[in-house]
Amino acid sequence: MRIFSGIQPTGSLHIGNYFGAIKQWVDLQDKNDCLFCIVDLHAITSPYEIKEFESKVLEKAIVYLSAGINPEKAIMFVQSKVKEHTELCWLLNSITPLGELQRMTQYKEKSLKQKKKECAGLLNYPILMAADILLYNTDIVPVGEDQKQHVELARDIAKRFNHLFGETFTLPQAQLPKQGARIMSISNPKEKMSKSGAPENYISLFDSPKDIRKKIKSAVTDTEKTIKYNKTKKPGISNLLTIYSLLSDKKIRDIEDEMKDKSYKEFKESLAELIVLKLEPFRKKREELLSREVYVREILKKGEEKASVIAQSKINEVKNKMGLYS
Ligand code: AQP
């Protein structure tokens, strides 16, 4: 199977990104043909710091490696270095109905947040994402729940293109993890954990033990006392139980049993220690890689070369099918 997925280089990668996306990538890379991209062109659709941007991209490559991506098995590269992504995006622009873009949940949410800073790129974001995916004849796109709608749109665009110009694109499918497809914010459990939100809302993969303990201590719960999973009535505790379950590989029911005589404070203390323990290898690996910039850049360069070969051949096919001057 061909697998493609990406993450924006802005913000700090959090446990939601890990359980929703990266953990699936690590599991898939052994038996599949994987491309993992740092989608910098997506990130520029929101305000960003120009001076820090390149280092953020490099930092994300370090994050991918620290979280278990193996460059011997998967192609890792930066989106803007393979120009066919933007080229295909423009070609797909011409067959994507405006109404479909306007109904995308992420567009509606982000355009509200960005208000006066909203740009056309925010609306066209899913077309670029479709180009990322379709360029590589992707079968499976491992993502968290919030990106499912965009993958479905990519599939619709592929179907429309194939119908108009003849069989060209593989129809991609989103793959969500069974558990952890939507980790909620720990400061507002009714909203998704988000890296562009305030630091109190997420646990970064590289937060210090001190910060982890502090954030979990102040995580929002409810006024009851029972440690029971109930997504609608107890979203805070349910989210913390989900995180506990994902990190401990224990079933939620078993954790509820284990914790039945414990207070929220005690439960939070064990959760914080579990997170500290499980994230320690990520922190260590990152420390080690931070001083190896040349090595990381080499990995990205090799990835770019490999991705470009596939992308060039696909874009030529697409342009031919569309009848463009050859
Ligand atoms: N809370 C989450 N739970 C599970 N999965 C999540 N993902 C994001 N948040 C959660 C998945 O992580 C990948 C990151 O994709 P992205 O960088 O393109 O950004 P996003 O989806 O918009 O994620 P964020 O963290 O919320 O970033 P901002 O705040 O910048 O928008 C995707 O696979 C996503 O589904």
Side-chain angles (χ1 to χ4, degrees), residues 5-10 12-21 25 39 42 106 110 125 142-148 180-184 192-197:
S5 195
I7 291 186
Q8 300 181 60
T10 41
S12 217
L13 226 87
H14 51 71
I15 53 174
N17 301 132
Y18 179 71
F19 289 118
W25 303 1
V39 289
H42 282 284
Q106 181 177 287
K110 289 209 170 172
Y125 184 113
V143 282
E145 193 186 81
D146 64 318
Q147 292 298 331
K148 186 170 171 245
R182 189 175 181 84
I183 299 292
M184 307 310 281
K192 183 182 83 99
M193 185 177 281
S194 164
K195 59 179 138 60
S196 56

Side-chain angles (χ1 to χ4, degrees), residues 84-94 124 127-128 131:
E84 287 76 11
H85 287 247
T86 39
E87 201 174 354
L88 182 58
C89 175
W90 181 255
L91 301 176
L92 299 179
N93 253 296
S94 63
N124 290 335
I127 310 183
L128 179 59

